[in-house]
Amino acid sequence: MTANTASNRAISQDDIDYFARIGINIVYASEQQLEAKYNTDYFGKYHGSSQAVLFPTTTEEVSKILAYCNEHKIGVVTQGGNSGTAGGAIARQSEVILSLRDMNKVRDLDVISGVVVAESGCVLAELDEHVREAGYIVPVDLGAKKRCMIGGNVSTNAGGLRYLRYGTLHGNVLGLEVVLADGRVLDALFSLKKDASGYDVKQLFIGAEGTLGVVTAVSIALAPKPRSSQIAVLGLSDFGKIQKAFVLARQNLGEIISAFEFWERRCNELVVQYEKNPSPLASPHEFFVMIETRGSFERHDVEKMDAYLEVLAAEGLVEETKVFRDADEMERTWLFRSQMAEAHAKSGCMHVYDFSLPSRYQHDLLVAVKKHLTDAGLYGVAGAPVRDVTIFGHIGDDNIHLQVVADEYGGIVEEVMEPWVYEWVGSHGGSVAAEHGLGMHKGKFLKYSKSPVVIDTMKSIKQMLDPNGIMNPGKHVERA
């Protein structure tokens, strides 16, 4: 069961005139003129052909836009900060782009219950700064926080850097305001932390990537701003020691651990080379780990970290350790970690794979991919089209990022990698998309991690809420 895909006719002058009459700000130009800002994804892999970008400022305007587009069978692609890596915010053909950048108001901040209601166009970093003034933080934190928007975070179910501590958006989002495909406004913008009155409808739109409706506002439960933070960076010789260090971190750091990141030697080298950012450790290592704690009592937290590091040393797990407690030093260390994707992209054409995979198989994936590409003659020999194969990720939530950096996008490298890598991940109990979403490309691989009944149910929901197939057409579950 699939929704009827919307007509891909080019938007007409009559359509533009209608949007202008109802007061919508519009950019109407050739697809080439819109290429850099709206028709290309962040890393330059996916390209679209939209000729019209609409900039609503209210939920009512979004409602009018969708009602019109639904009636006239015009496809709509919602776009926030356009910082995704799966092409979900790129118009595949001639769809209208609905930019939410001008819907950026904070509607309410309850400092007693710690709940913020914000419009979808609020930039994540700016929203976080706003709530920090009241003693809170937004519970999701991403490397692209200065660009991405909270509506896009919700629509992709972004995980982020501190998932280990603060959990998923499925748990932190209390309510949503969503405009459905036919223009009706679904007002589920609750701020209650407990509600057992029927189906939790908002969950359908978290991770739906704009295929079921347009999220226009979000109610989020905030976390207290930490009074104490510290970071330890470790150098280790093999992946097994990372796993042991993680188990010990859970046992010894307990409630204050907020992040447990890892990357391998080549990732470290690429950041140093392309971002001109010095390594956090003096010596090279096969693997690096970054552990962050957040708490409310500095002396207590420092004692726990020092005791944990003593345990690691006694177990012979680390080659080098450095602790950062100065705010500027911690910010630079996080910057180093967050620059890894951009450093890879600067070194070549980055095929990025975002998987959830049990930790015990993560290094096996790297070994298997390198062997697979080597056997195909694409890696490890002079003149081979694949330059690097690397992994980094979030050990605490089983999310691993695999990068295959090649001379070009697509081509023989993609043919050899896909669907093989998705089959491998699925056969080892993994998910084909951990936090970047399905987007334009990965829907067809959904079958490797979801059962036929689950996929059919997803398609039924799509058909029910978007029978004309206007919402982000040809993506997500439509590709399954």
Side-chain angles (χ1 to χ4, degrees), residues 446-447 449-462 476-477 480:
L446 191 58
K447 61 184 178 182
S449 60
K450 291 286 190 293
S451 73
V453 174
V454 170
I455 293 173
D456 285 346
T457 302
M458 292 169 69
K459 289 183 175 182
S460 296
I461 293 169
K462 170 70 172 174
H476 202 262
V477 73

Side-chain angles (χ1 to χ4, degrees), residues 58-60 62-64 66-67 177-186 205 212-216 471:
T58 66
T59 300
E60 181 183 8
V62 175
S63 175
K64 290 178 180 179
L66 291 192
E177 178 184 83
V178 182
V179 180
L180 301 178
D182 60 7
R184 289 179 297 157
V185 178
L186 187 153
F205 302 94
L212 302 179
V214 176
V215 174
T216 50
M471 301 306 303

Side-chain angles (χ1 to χ4, degrees), residues 116-342:
V116 67
V117 178
E119 293 181 341
S120 287
C122 290
V123 175
L124 178 58
E126 295 173 3
L127 181 61
D128 188 63
E129 285 299 316
H130 181 81
V131 301
R132 278 176 178 271
E133 294 176 3
Y136 294 97
I137 60 169
V138 179
V140 63
D141 192 5
L142 305 168
K145 63 185 177 182
K146 293 183 179 180
R147 178 184 175 115
C148 66
M149 299 176 186
I150 194 64
N153 301 152
V154 170
S155 295
T156 57
N157 190 25
L161 303 169
R162 296 186 175 93
Y163 187 104
L164 176 63
R165 175 67 173 274
Y166 301 115
T168 170
L169 285 171
H170 278 291
N172 289 309
V173 171
L174 302 176
L176 294 177
E177 178 184 83
V178 182
V179 180
L180 301 178
D182 60 7
R184 289 179 297 157
V185 178
L186 187 153
D187 184 0
L189 200 59
F190 309 118
S191 295
L192 300 174
K193 295 179 180 177
K194 296 181 73 174
D195 179 12
S197 57
Y199 300 126
D200 193 0
V201 176
K202 70 176 183 294
Q203 300 292 352
L204 289 175
F205 302 94
I206 301 173
E209 301 179 50
T211 61
L212 302 179
V214 176
V215 174
T216 50
V218 185
S219 172
I220 302 177
L222 303 171
K225 184 171 68 173
R227 295 181 178 179
S228 167
S229 296
Q230 58 186 333
I231 290 173
V233 179
L234 317 176
L236 306 94
S237 60
D238 65 70
F239 194 79
K241 292 181 178 179
I242 295 178
Q243 295 169 318
K244 292 177 182 177
F246 176 64
V247 172
L248 290 170
R250 295 293 296 271
Q251 294 171 349
N252 288 269
L253 297 175
E255 79 286 353
I256 64 171
I257 187 171
S258 54
F260 195 102
E261 302 288 298
F262 85 94
W263 60 92
E264 59 164 314
R265 178 197 292 256
R266 185 59 182 147
C267 298
N268 209 74
E269 293 171 346
L270 288 172
V271 175
V272 172
Q273 179 180 354
Y274 288 97
E275 301 298 332
K276 310 304 180 186
N277 200 348
S279 173
L281 295 182
S283 302
H285 303 276
E286 288 304 310
F287 292 95
F288 295 77
V289 162
M290 185 177 78
I291 304 165
E292 181 192 65
T293 71
R294 289 180 154 194
S296 58
F297 187 37
E298 183 176 5
R299 189 177 70 184
H300 167 268
D301 299 345
V302 167
E303 289 175 353
K304 293 193 78 166
M305 177 66 85
D306 289 345
Y308 167 65
L309 296 178
E310 288 176 5
V311 171
L312 294 184
E315 295 284 338
L317 297 179
V318 294
E319 298 175 325
E320 184 182 358
T321 301
K322 188 170 184 179
V323 179
F324 302 90
R325 294 187 172 114
D326 174 78
D328 291 338
E329 290 181 339
M330 289 190 289
E331 184 176 352
R332 285 194 293 270
T333 306
W334 267 118
L335 177 63
F336 188 94
R337 164 60 184 85
S338 66
Q339 288 176 328
M340 281 177 192
E342 292 189 2

Side-chain angles (χ1 to χ4, degrees), residues 24 35 64 98 183 193 358 362 394:
I24 307 297
E35 172 76 10
K64 290 178 180 179
L98 185 67
K193 295 179 180 177
Q362 290 183 355
H394 325 292

Side-chain angles (χ1 to χ4, degrees), residues 7-67:
S7 167
N8 288 322
R9 68 172 175 85
I11 191 169
S12 70
Q13 187 61 51
D14 288 343
D15 301 324
I16 296 298
D17 291 344
Y18 168 79
F19 294 131
R21 283 198 304 275
I22 64 173
I24 307 297
N25 294 322
I26 308 166
V27 172
Y28 184 41
S30 71
E31 59 191 72
Q32 291 78 19
Q33 290 172 307
L34 297 180
E35 172 76 10
K37 194 166 185 180
Y38 302 105
N39 277 332
T40 304
D41 79 308
Y42 187 60
F43 290 120
K45 180 177 182 180
Y46 299 102
H47 300 272
S49 56
S50 179
Q51 296 182 356
V53 186
L54 309 181
F55 300 90
T57 58
T58 66
T59 300
E60 181 183 8
E61 289 181 352
V62 175
S63 175
K64 290 178 180 179
I65 290 169
L66 291 192

